[in-house]
Amino acid sequence: MAAKLKKGDKVVVLAGKDKGKQGEISLVMPTAGKAIVDGINISIRHTKPSQTAQGGRLPKAMPIQLSNLALMDSNGKATRVGFRFEDGAKVRFAKSTGEVI
């Protein structure tokens, strides 16, 4: 099955502690069904100092379930993703506006 969300897509969070926030996908893990979105689902990681890096409490973006994300259309609202064939190629499009993504 083709991926509905890809790296670089602008998305809106549908559920969870960051509901309503927007961000850009930086990494998709299709086998786990999760994605990492910049600035979303941030948790604090405590790290030990090393010779190269300073330790302390570092914020880190954690993976979020793909079902809790929706693609943002040109109007800035959440939309579903569909697929259609144009000129012999399979393309993704926003179901709300019909524009190709």
Side-chain angles (χ1 to χ4, degrees), residues 5-21:
L5 298 174
K6 296 183 177 185
K7 179 180 175 179
D9 285 346
K10 303 274 187 204
V11 293
V12 179
V13 179
L14 300 176
K17 67 178 184 176
D18 294 322
K19 181 177 179 177
K21 290 186 181 178

Side-chain angles (χ1 to χ4, degrees), residues 23-99:
E24 185 175 325
I25 295 179
S26 59
L27 177 71
V28 177
M29 298 172 269
T31 54
K34 297 185 180 225
I36 294 179
V37 183
D38 297 330
I40 305 293
N41 202 22
I42 300 294
S43 77
I44 301 295
R45 290 289 169 224
H46 299 77
T47 58
K48 277 185 158 182
S50 66
Q51 289 182 345
T52 58
Q54 184 177 2
R57 300 176 65 207
L58 303 175
K60 182 180 179 186
M62 300 302 288
I64 188 169
Q65 193 70 30
L66 287 174
S67 63
N68 294 334
L69 300 174
L71 189 69
M72 219 168 44
D73 63 3
S74 58
N75 301 330
K77 295 188 177 187
T79 184
R80 293 185 295 163
V81 178
F83 294 96
R84 65 180 173 215
F85 287 94
E86 288 186 3
D87 301 326
K90 189 176 184 179
V91 296
R92 297 183 311 153
F93 71 97
K95 288 201 172 185
S96 62
T97 59
E99 65 186 50

